[in-house]
């Protein structure tokens, strides 16, 4: 059986076809332009792929309430042309297949939980640190949606001493997590794109301190059994030991969990599925959409 | 049928007997002294009460893992004499009834969700602001335990401009939520117990700003459908409009949820069960313990 998957990003759309063995068989990508142009192009790509269902992990905010008339619509986004636009409905209807949608980070969290770094656990947080910062959560064995869906990147953090740009760069909140620690914040603060900063640049200690605050706040807020950090900025692998050390320092022995105190190296980790968490999550959503349609 | 309930607090133990109609019939309280003294006294009180099960909402940290050999033990606490001490097991064994335990705030969250301010919803956060700050969470229709259990009071916050004590008073983390906004922090900052500060004292604007940061971070972290604020400090009812206004100001229109943007008065609310959330939650746990034992 063939399942369609879509990772809908602010910059590009990644389309794929996967199978029941959770393998991604073929893939294409196209730039994210106006929905009037991009959605028909995606429909065209899928049209001869013989898929039985579609799973979408998308940028947001997005309406995830399946009972809502605007289920699968992008709600309000800075991405030009996409505010209050349907994403899932036109694709589902044109392709004539059942479809499910979630945030890109929830899709990745789902995949990491079912098949990756959090396999066998009841909870995890998957964070992507890149152009923005976003998190997908599994708590008590369920993907978290809640009122809207998590927007962890906009959590407020304590300013780090010595930060040359402590006010942050988020257009909504200035010094929220994203405004302090996303890729563009690193670039604006230091005047150089993150990937060109050497591993011993002071930028990374600061970056690790903010991401450690995020880890600490997540531990305090909802106590995940695993924290998985992905995204472009986290390709700087030297960040991991810095973040782990700083998280322990911040927690200061308060949370007496061996998984944290004694095994931090396996508590704050890289994605088990590498860069395929998002696409694999969309595949799991597609499988679920199909299973629900034939039940 | 009669169910035993215990609200185990750092200062006092509140014992009660409730029925299937969720009514609390009789109540007693005793100071929290050493477990060797207090636990037998509690067992004595329950012994002739003819209860079929026991539900406990307790201070923490506490082991909530039912598969753990130390289920129902207080783990590490600043409360003298209670570190690594069993609370549930000796009571369950002496009384010969099934028992369940959760944190005091999870018990309150459970009651508010089943019977109170969050009835009919899939998620809520119940926060108590008093001697400490703690939160109980229901997410996707389940009480949240996770790796340990939420310890929201120890989330790090941004220092508010103009705070005369921005470093905070938590012995573990200094300027965490609890170190900045719990009752003792208010008293240390202003030199007067919170209840003696007049409603127009500048303390309250600052307090509301920190609690609004907490609300914002909760919305961003896990998107609860309702935020319920209880505890001693929240008896200052004039805090509610201040917190609501500041939360909207901090979110700055980013989370486009009508429940927040248009109905903040019914989003951040007082407990629907008044001061009975905790005891009622313990009663629900007792009913559940009984139901599971006869199933």
């Amino acid at each position: 059986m063939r399942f369609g998957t879509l990772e809908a990003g602010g910059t590009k759309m990644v389309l794929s076809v996967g199978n029941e063995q959770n393998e991604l068989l073929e893939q294409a990508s196209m730039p994210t332009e106006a929905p009037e142009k991009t959605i028909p192009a995606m429909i065209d790509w899928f049209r001869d792929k013989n898929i039985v269902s579609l799973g979408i992990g998308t940028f947001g905010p997005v309406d995830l309430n399946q009972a809502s008339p605007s289920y699968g619509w992008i709600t309000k986004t800075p991405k030009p042309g996409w505010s209050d636009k349907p994403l899932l409905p036109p694709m589902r209807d044109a392709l004539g297949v059942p479809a499910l949608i979630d945030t890109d980070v929830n899709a990745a969290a789902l995949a990491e939980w079912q098949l990756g770094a959090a396999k066998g656990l009841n909870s995890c947080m998957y964070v992507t640190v890149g152009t923005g910062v976003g998190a997908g959560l599994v708590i008590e064995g369920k993907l978290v949606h809640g009122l809207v869906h998590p927007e962890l990147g906009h959590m407020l953090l304590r300013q780090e001493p010595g930060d040359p740009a402590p006010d942050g760069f988020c257009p909504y909140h200035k010094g929220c997590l994203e405004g302090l620690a996303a890729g563009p914040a690193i670039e604006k603060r230091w005047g150089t794109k993150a990937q060109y900063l050497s591993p011993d640049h002071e930028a990374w200690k600061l970056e690790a301190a903010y991401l450690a605050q995020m880890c600490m706040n997540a531990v305090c807020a909802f106590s995940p059994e695993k924290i998985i950090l992905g995204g472009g900025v986290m390709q700087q692998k030297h960040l991991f030991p810095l973040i782990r050390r700083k998280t322990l320092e911040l927690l200061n022995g308060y949370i007496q969990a061996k998984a944290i105190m004694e095994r931090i190296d396996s508590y704050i980790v890289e994605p088990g599925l590498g860069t395929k968490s998002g696409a694999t999550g969309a595949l799991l959503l597609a499988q679920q959409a199909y299973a629900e349609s034939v039940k």
Side-chain angles (χ1 to χ4, degrees), chain A residues 125-175:
Chain A
M125 170 168 81
Y126 173 92
V127 184
T128 180
V129 187
T131 313
V133 178
L137 306 183
V138 173
I139 295 184
E140 302 290 330
K142 290 191 162 189
L143 267 180
V144 175
H145 298 124
L147 180 65
V148 186
H149 49 68
E151 282 283 355
L152 194 88
H154 296 275
M155 166 181 278
L156 297 172
L157 297 182
R158 185 161 76 182
Q159 297 171 332
E160 284 293 325
D163 181 350
D167 290 340
F169 302 99
C170 171
Y172 288 90
H173 314 116
K174 293 192 172 175

Side-chain angles (χ1 to χ4, degrees), chain A residues 3-7 53-57 98-101 281-283 285-287 289:
Chain A
F3 305 93
T5 79
L6 166 60
E7 290 178 273
S53 63
L54 177 66
I56 305 175
L100 279 173
I101 193 168
L283 174 55
L285 289 172
Q287 291 169 354

